[in-house]
Amino acid sequence: MAETEIHDMFVIGLRNAHAMENEALSMMRPQLPRMERYPEVAAKLEQHISETQDQIIRLEHILEELDENYLSVNDMVLSFNGATAVMSHAGMGDAVLKDAFADFAFENYEIAAYKSLLTIADAGNFREAKDALQASLAEEQSMARWLDDNLPLVTQKFLLMWEGDGPLGTQR
C-alpha cells in the first residue's frame, strides 16, 4: 500500500474514532440520571465521560498535527444514533441493565477501533500518535474490564430493587 493511501486510511480512522467517541458521550450522558440508585456505576460513568472527553482532545490533536480537520458528518450522525439508542431504554424498567449491555458492547467496539488505529499507525510510521492512541486504548480496556467485572453485581442489585419496586408489587 502506498504511503499516501496509509495516510488517508489513518485520517479516516482517526475521524471515525472522533465520531465514535462523540457517540460514546451521547450514550453515557443520558444514563447518569438513571444511576441514582447505583452510585458506584454513576461514579465510574462520570470518570469514563471525563476520559472520553480527553480521548476526543487527543484525537483532535493528532489530526491537527497531520493538518487535517476532525469535524465530519459522521460526528453528527453517530452522536444522534448513540443518544437515540440510549433514550430508547429510558422508559423500560430494566434500563440500567440494557445500558450496561450497550456500554459493554460499545467499549469492546472502541477497543477494536483503537487496536486497528495502532496497527495503521505502525504501518504508516505515525510514531507521534501512538502514545495518545495507546492511552485511549488502555482507558477503554479498563472500562470494559470494570463493566465485565461489575455486571453481575449490578444485575444482583437490580434484582433486589426489582423485587421491591417491580410490576408484581412484591415488597421485601
Side-chain angles (χ1 to χ4, degrees), residues 14-169:
L14 291 167
R15 286 181 180 150
N16 287 342
H18 189 268
M20 170 187 73
E21 294 301 355
N22 278 300
E23 181 180 10
L25 284 179
S26 74
M27 288 174 57
M28 290 185 289
R29 286 179 175 145
Q31 292 176 21
L32 279 174
R34 293 195 287 269
M35 299 299 162
E36 67 184 30
R37 295 170 84 179
Y38 301 83
E40 64 286 348
V41 176
K44 188 64 176 177
L45 202 54
E46 286 174 349
Q47 174 191 338
H48 197 58
I49 287 170
S50 177
E51 290 171 345
T52 301
Q53 291 166 333
D54 291 343
Q55 292 164 7
I56 290 169
I57 291 167
R58 284 184 209 125
L59 290 164
E60 290 172 356
H61 179 72
I62 294 168
L63 284 162
E64 287 168 357
E65 289 293 313
L66 295 170
D67 290 324
E68 297 288 343
N69 188 348
Y70 51 82
L71 297 177
S72 73
V73 174
N74 282 348
D75 279 333
M76 292 182 290
V77 171
L78 290 177
S79 180
F80 176 76
N81 286 343
T84 302
V86 170
M87 294 309 278
S88 69
H89 301 165
M92 299 178 185
D94 62 348
V96 168
L97 293 180
K98 287 184 176 151
D99 287 345
F101 303 161
D103 291 345
F104 183 72
F106 203 77
E107 290 305 319
N108 283 282
Y109 178 85
E110 290 173 307
I111 289 167
Y114 281 112
K115 285 182 176 183
S116 179
L117 275 171
L118 283 161
T119 301
I120 297 169
D122 281 338
N125 210 20
F126 297 106
R127 287 187 202 109
E128 64 285 347
K130 287 188 66 176
D131 287 343
L133 295 172
Q134 192 63 50
S136 294
L137 174 61
E139 291 165 351
E140 300 301 355
Q141 289 171 324
S142 175
M143 184 62 175
R145 254 188 321 277
W146 188 91
L147 287 164
D148 191 34
D149 291 345
N150 285 276
L151 184 59
L153 299 172
V154 170
T155 303
Q156 289 168 353
K157 186 170 183 174
F158 170 80
L159 289 173
L160 287 172
M161 285 191 257
W162 185 262
E163 285 181 12
D165 298 338
L168 300 178

